Amino acid sequence: MIGANTLQEFVVARQADFAGATGDLSRLLTDIGTAAKMVNRHVNSAGLSGILGMHKANGGASRNVQGEDQQKLDVYADDTFTRVLRSCLKVGGIVSEEQPGIIHVDHSDRGLGKGYGKYMVCIDPLDGSSNVDVNISVGTIFGIHRRLSPLTQPAEVEDFLQPASELVAAGYVLYGSSTMLVYSTGGGVNGFTFDPSIGEFFLSHPNMQFPEHSRVYSINDANIPTAVPGIAQYVDDCRSRGLTARYTGALVADFHRNLIQGGIYMYPGSVGKPAGKLRMLYEAQPLAFLAHQAGGATRCHHHDLLHVDPNALHQRTPLFTGHVDEVNRLADFLQRAAIAAGEAN
Ligand code: AHG
Ligand code: MN
Ligand code: MN
């Protein structure tokens, strides 16, 4: 793809691979790149611009729909992405981690007579936000579905509750030692690095694939004793094979490192929290789509997460994602443990 070096050039060049493509998805993806640049600027200067720490509302700490404390940058990233996405004519609805219901996007009041756009965007505007105050990487995760309901009416919950295999695009932004945008529209995974001196994302990681040899396992070690049966045994197995442990507390950063170095990420269900912590629509599904495109696999305990039908906008799910061999190996451990537990009962 000679000449297709910037994100925008690449997205448009890739559009030609799809028969009948209208350019609508390309426009949406480049708008996400624009919002990422805006958030990147704030993340990079957070210590200077007074936007570290908790967001306050009505005199107290503000909480999102999950009951989690919001950081100032959670709120800024949510405002920025939803504002940019709302102005994109191709977007008909948004589900954000930070907002309780569907954000309906009606374009007819802009005199354009088009009603609601055809793409549904699910977004975690700032992933790993507790890392911001300690200057460790954070990210943004997004997934894009084509709506099922007619464009003339507001989107329905069912437009968002589609399996990850039906995503038309997914990706993430990693605000790390450099800022990267990684995305897929189904023909492989490509990574772009932001050049702050020019203000553009440039293709730096074409056709990303999990390395055959896995070096890393990523899990919150404190959760292992209460995790579902099989996890502790699998982690012992990883250690005995010489894999090393890495866990940043930001899913995007852990996934990205494992994609480059080879490995597996785990956030299992536990005794008190059978569904774990991570959210299906805007954390698990986009990464499952990317992992599948990069020679990986993703499971939620006993199922291939790619084909699971979600049942709620803010549903949580256990998440195991990484190179297909590691994910399958873990699945064997979980299955054996479940059978053993069944026999014991
Ligand atoms: P968010 O900041 O969007 O709420 O996501 C935090 C998530 C995820 O990024 C990370 O992998 C996980 O929480 C870490 O959880 P623990 O602190 O329980 O390990
Ligand atoms: Mn998150
Ligand atoms: Mn978040």
Side-chain angles (χ1 to χ4, degrees):
M1 191 152 306
I2 295 164
N5 280 329
T6 69
L7 175 64
Q8 189 163 6
E9 287 168 344
F10 186 89
V11 163
V12 170
R14 272 293 158 101
Q15 177 189 315
D17 296 348
F18 297 94
T22 58
D24 291 354
L25 183 60
S26 301
R27 172 73 199 276
L28 171 50
L29 288 166
T30 51
D31 282 355
I32 288 173
T34 302
K37 289 180 198 174
M38 296 162 77
V39 171
N40 175 62
R41 189 163 51 92
H42 265 66
V43 168
N44 278 330
S45 61
L48 297 171
S49 51
I51 51 171
L52 293 178
M54 308 303 293
H55 184 255
K56 297 269 175 23
N58 304 321
S62 72
R63 298 219 158 91
N64 65 16
V65 63
Q66 342 274 338
E68 297 161 344
D69 290 337
Q70 288 180 306
Q71 305 278 325
K72 287 178 191 167
L73 269 171
D74 277 323
V75 175
Y76 175 81
D78 184 51
D79 286 350
T80 302
F81 272 100
T82 54
R83 186 158 34 85
V84 170
L85 290 169
R86 288 171 78 110
S87 71
C88 177
L89 287 173
K90 313 311 167 194
V91 174
I94 306 162
V95 165
S96 163
E97 179 191 10
E98 304 303 330
Q99 304 207 32
I102 298 170
I103 304 165
H104 294 285
V105 187
D106 180 2
H107 300 292
S108 54
D109 61 355
R110 295 165 69 187
L112 295 162
K114 287 183 188 278
Y116 299 89
K118 66 182 176 189
Y119 290 119
M120 309 285 101
V121 183
C122 299
I123 189 154
D124 177 352
L126 200 69
D127 174 64
S129 55
S130 65
N131 279 357
V132 169
D133 285 1
V134 289
N135 213 351
I136 301 177
S137 299
V138 292
T140 296
I141 311 174
F142 62 90
I144 302 170
H145 279 293
R146 189 174 284 112
R147 70 182 292 162
L148 304 170
S149 60
L151 296 182
T152 48
Q153 62 192 49
E156 295 169 4
V157 170
E158 283 64 35
D159 291 320
F160 291 90
L161 301 185
Q162 302 186 51
S165 56
E166 295 301 310
L167 285 163
V168 294
Y172 59 80
V173 185
L174 174 60
Y175 312 97
S177 51
S178 58
T179 293
M180 283 191 68
L181 190 151
V182 175
Y183 86 98
S184 175
T185 51
V189 179
N190 291 282
F192 299 79
T193 301
F194 185 64
D195 182 337
S197 65
I198 298 173
E200 286 288 354
F201 285 100
F202 288 90
L203 180 63
S204 54
H205 294 61
N207 195 22
M208 298 173 82
Q209 290 278 309
F210 283 100
E212 283 302 315
H213 175 68
S214 290
R215 291 170 51 189
V216 174
Y217 69 93
S218 305
I219 186 170
N220 184 333
D221 185 76
N223 294 338
I224 294 175
T226 53
V228 291
I231 293 291
Q233 293 83 348
Y234 172 72
V235 169
D236 282 345
D237 171 71
C238 287
R239 291 168 179 157
S240 72
R241 288 183 291 125
L243 276 73
T244 193
R246 291 284 187 277
Y247 189 77
T248 69
L251 173 59
V252 168
D254 287 315
F255 181 89
H256 183 74
R257 184 205 44 251
N258 294 351
L259 177 56
I260 289 179
Q261 295 192 334
I264 182 168
Y265 177 94
M266 294 168 273
Y267 207 113
S270 60
V271 176
K273 286 184 174 174
K277 175 182 183 184
L278 300 174
R279 280 53 62 104
M280 177 66 98
L281 293 193
Y282 39 82
E283 292 181 317
Q285 283 199 332
L287 298 186
F289 183 83
L290 291 170
H292 177 67
Q293 288 293 321
T298 303
R299 296 184 69 82
C300 46
H301 288 169
H302 301 296
H303 301 282
D304 182 343
L305 193 141
L306 202 63
H307 300 292
V308 169
D309 286 317
N311 56 34
L313 297 180
H314 296 287
Q315 174 185 353
R316 294 180 194 267
T317 178
L319 176 66
F320 309 114
T321 187
H323 188 274
V324 63
D325 291 349
E326 282 304 322
V327 173
N328 287 341
R329 193 176 178 97
L330 168 61
D332 287 344
F333 273 84
L334 294 177
Q335 189 166 10
R336 281 202 295 273
I339 291 169
E343 284 169 0
N345 291 335

